[in-house]
Amino acid sequence: MVYPTKELDTDRRPHRCPVWLSSLSCILLCIPSVQAAGSKVIGSGGATSIDGMAGGGIVPWAVINGYASSDQWSLTSALSLVNVDDYQLHSQGLSLSYDNRWELSYGQQQFSIDQTDVQLRQQIFAAKYKLAGDVLYDVMPQVSIGAIHKKQRDFALPAAIGVTDSADQEFYLAASKIYLDAVFGRNLLLNYTLRASRAQQTGLLGFGSTSDRSYQWCHEWSAVLLLTHQLAIGAEYKQKPDTLDFAAEDDWRDVFVGWFVNKHLSLVAGYVDLGSIAGKPQQDGYYLALETTWAF
Amino acid sequence: MGILGRWLLVVLLLSGCQSKPETPDWLYQQLGGSPGVTQLVDGLLVKIEHDPQIVHHFRDTDIARFRKLLIEQICQLSGGPCQYSGASMQESHTGFQITAADFDNLVNHLIAVMTAQQVPMAAQNRLLALLAPMQRDVINR
């Protein structure tokens, strides 16, 4: 597949894995005087998705990031890498949560195409609010609403293939529940997220298309089995809009292993299947993520 | 249904399978019977004593009576030969203004004590499942 050779955006400040965010991750781990851990039970804050929000790897959940419980704050930073056959996606996220009810997050992504110097960047600003329920204690699932503003920063290529907008909003409603003693005496987390989106490849290729600028309803699921208090295996399925004539867009899937090392550090490794991206089929590969979190 | 759906269905179906039927006091035995439950509660009290966030709630508590009632409650809840003789969760926690964070701390301490006592994971999760519904009766009163 030959990409349009139109001159690319010259405002390019390649920022793979920014130093400041990596440093923050290390600082959050290493300052011994700030060992405050937050009260939530380990694992019940989920991980951080590639968009910077609390959830699995590719699906935002109703849980609020970090271990902050009532009247507590938490700050969480996350780094992740997705490496498939012809593409790489680097993501960095930072989120602040309060009272186990509010979550504000910032994420940035750099998507690169192998054997080219094309890089597509995106910034993600999101807010999440817990409406009702409790993921652990209530019979009723925890239900949260989320609003996301996404800004794609390298729009020349998307514009050339029929995408109409470089920035847009997404909205979602998520329900998460940990079923205690559910499967083989282990706890099972299930999440369902309903998202309204016009994104092309989650926004990496912009939003909307010349043939369809309407919002699409997308269904997303995660299931995670907590083998021990600190070790989890999970799977996710993420429906995607498919409105671009230039190339089909497939749903995403992943399976992963998560290790909640302690209440400050978690690591995730997984296999992702992203289907066809911009005409290149069968994009699958690995996913690695690191999350550090600190409560105060 | 894709591979994910089939996998999830298998997991959920298998969750209904057990190798042999449980006895009514299965959990009580998994917790170590009477000495085990007593050891759990004593371990929990030590944790509470060293937790500055929640120990203040126990300032005016008759600890000996609290210990006795907690042993009774866990014993009965887990299918043991006990009868809880205390007040309801709502009544006994009214006026304390126990926060969700306080309750979370206690759950964390219980998990730590059960793990230190090598209670099997399935039994730990069974006990947590039995205690979880009490949270709404305990907090914010």
Side-chain angles (χ1 to χ4, degrees):
Chain A
M1 170 69 61
V2 175
Y3 288 93
T5 52
K6 205 169 156 174
E7 205 172 289
L8 295 170
D9 194 349
T10 52
D11 170 29
R12 288 161 55 87
R13 292 171 289 123
H15 47 73
R16 291 178 204 283
C17 209
V19 171
W20 67 268
L21 199 37
S22 312
S23 305
L24 181 62
S25 302
C26 292
I27 287 168
L28 289 182
L29 278 175
C30 298
I31 295 182
S33 61
V34 263
Q35 286 297 311
S39 294
K40 269 160 58 177
V41 174
I42 194 163
S44 60
T48 299
S49 72
I50 55 172
D51 282 354
M53 294 163 261
I58 56 177
V59 177
W61 297 350
V63 302
I64 303 298
N65 223 344
Y67 288 103
S69 185
S70 53
D71 302 309
Q72 297 172 347
W73 295 82
S74 73
L75 188 64
T76 304
S77 77
L79 305 170
S80 72
L81 165 65
V82 175
N83 191 355
V84 294
D85 296 71
D86 297 293
Y87 306 102
Q88 280 195 356
L89 178 68
H90 292 257
S91 306
Q92 304 86 44
L94 191 66
S95 64
L96 180 70
S97 76
Y98 172 66
D99 198 32
N100 195 21
R101 185 170 294 277
W102 291 96
E103 179 188 296
L104 293 177
S105 64
Y106 169 73
Q108 53 186 35
Q109 299 172 332
Q110 305 85 43
F111 180 78
S112 57
I113 304 170
D114 292 354
Q115 290 157 25
T116 73
D117 59 0
V118 173
Q119 191 185 65
L120 303 173
R121 296 167 299 160
Q122 178 170 224
Q123 290 175 301
I124 301 151
F125 303 85
K128 182 191 299 183
Y129 176 72
K130 179 174 75 172
L131 285 169
D134 189 283
V135 67
L136 196 55
Y137 300 114
D138 274 2
V139 170
M140 174 180 169
Q142 179 162 325
V143 178
S144 298
I145 50 169
I148 311 170
H149 174 72
K150 291 185 169 180
K151 186 169 169 51
Q152 205 275 7
R153 299 295 305 277
D154 302 289
F155 197 61
L157 188 150
I161 58 173
V163 182
T164 50
D165 298 281
S166 63
D168 203 9
Q169 283 67 246
E170 291 180 331
F171 306 93
Y172 68 89
L173 189 70
S176 308
K177 181 82 193 91
I178 295 175
Y179 296 95
L180 295 165
D181 186 30
V183 179
F184 298 121
R186 300 305 191 264
N187 305 331
L188 178 71
L189 182 148
L190 296 179
N191 178 87
Y192 166 72
T193 298
L194 177 67
R195 185 195 301 245
S197 173
R198 292 187 286 210
Q200 305 296 344
Q201 295 293 1
T202 74
L204 293 164
L205 288 178
F207 309 86
S209 75
T210 49
S211 57
D212 190 346
R213 295 191 68 209
S214 65
Y215 271 99
Q216 308 291 312
W217 291 106
C218 302
H219 306 274
E220 307 178 9
W221 296 272
S222 305
V224 182
L225 188 66
L226 294 153
L227 298 175
T228 70
H229 293 304
Q230 293 172 262
L231 193 66
I233 55 172
E236 298 182 288
Y237 190 92
K238 181 187 178 74
Q239 268 189 359
K240 312 271 284 328
D242 181 16
T243 61
L244 197 57
D245 296 331
F246 173 76
E249 181 170 339
D250 289 334
D251 298 343
W252 285 3
R253 295 148 244 255
D254 68 13
V255 291
F256 58 84
V257 176
W259 177 24
F260 299 100
V261 179
N262 55 40
K263 279 187 161 184
H264 297 290
L265 174 65
S266 65
L267 304 169
V268 180
Y271 162 80
V272 295
D273 177 2
L274 307 184
S276 174
I277 299 180
K280 296 203 180 198
Q282 297 175 329
Q283 298 297 315
D284 65 349
Y286 66 79
Y287 165 70
L288 298 171
L290 175 152
E291 179 195 278
T292 62
T293 186
W294 168 54
F296 52 99
Chain B
M1 189 191 308
I3 290 173
L4 177 67
R6 281 194 280 267
W7 176 86
L8 195 56
L9 190 60
V10 166
V11 165
L12 288 173
L13 285 173
L14 284 176
S15 67
C17 298
Q18 296 173 15
S19 52
K20 59 182 177 202
E22 290 176 6
T23 55
D25 68 344
W26 173 85
L27 179 57
Y28 183 65
Q29 296 305 329
Q30 292 282 303
L31 295 175
S34 175
V37 172
T38 303
Q39 191 183 350
L40 273 178
V41 171
D42 286 337
L44 198 56
L45 289 175
V46 172
K47 292 277 189 190
I48 292 169
E49 188 186 346
H50 291 101
D51 185 342
Q53 184 178 323
I54 67 175
V55 69
H56 67 96
H57 288 303
F58 296 86
R59 197 173 37 221
D60 299 324
T61 300
D62 177 347
I63 295 295
R65 181 169 177 273
F66 174 73
R67 176 180 178 275
K68 167 178 167 287
L69 289 175
L70 192 53
I71 289 170
E72 278 177 7
Q73 186 176 41
I74 294 178
C75 170
Q76 178 177 335
L77 208 56
S78 62
C82 307
Q83 187 76 22
Y84 174 63
S85 60
S88 71
M89 288 298 99
Q90 287 187 13
E91 285 169 343
S92 54
H93 293 92
T94 296
F96 284 89
Q97 290 296 304
I98 293 165
T99 66
D102 293 340
F103 193 90
D104 284 336
N105 273 29
L106 196 68
V107 173
N108 290 323
H109 294 322
L110 180 62
I111 290 172
V113 167
M114 287 194 291
T115 301
Q117 221 165 288
Q118 297 179 316
V119 174
M121 275 304 302
Q124 291 196 31
N125 290 332
R126 177 73 59 90
L127 185 59
L128 292 174
L130 291 168
L131 293 171
M134 295 182 185
Q135 190 244 23
R136 55 174 37 221
D137 291 333
V138 166
I139 64 170
N140 300 329
R141 292 181 183 280

